[in-house]
Amino acid sequence: VDCAKAALAEVALAALGPLGPSPRPPWAVPASSVLLYGPPGTGKTSLARACAGRFRLRLLAPPIQALVHGAVGGSEAAVAALYARARRVAPALVFV
């Protein structure tokens, strides 16, 4: 859990912009996403909500039914619309 918290904090701080001297070398590119995986009930959603609250990010967490469509190209369009919305309301955290 501590490793996941540190990774989420690093990505959130990188998304918010420079807040001071960075411990990274200037050529290093910060991560732009984190993959949280595991069985149900391990706290993935709680970590995402806590990160969004701590860094004052808008949390976009649509239900999976909103993203999965039977028509060809429907799911791709739904995911593209989700990320377009995230860009409009930036800074945002997308949790799928």
Side-chain angles (χ1 to χ4, degrees):
V1 174
D2 292 332
C3 181
K5 282 197 251 182
L8 283 171
E10 180 179 341
V11 169
L13 287 173
L16 292 174
L19 299 175
S22 174
R24 304 181 167 277
W27 48 265
V29 178
S32 63
S33 62
V34 174
L35 174 64
L36 299 175
Y37 62 93
T42 56
K44 298 178 294 288
T45 304
S46 296
L47 277 172
R49 286 184 179 147
C51 183
R54 166 67 177 87
F55 295 104
R56 295 188 176 137
L57 305 172
R58 182 159 314 197
L59 178 65
L60 301 176
I64 195 66
Q65 296 85 358
L67 299 177
V68 177
H69 298 282
V72 174
S75 297
E76 291 85 353
V79 171
L82 173 65
Y83 279 94
R85 181 174 175 221
R87 281 189 286 282
R88 278 195 317 273
V89 299
L93 189 149
V94 178
F95 184 77
V96 179

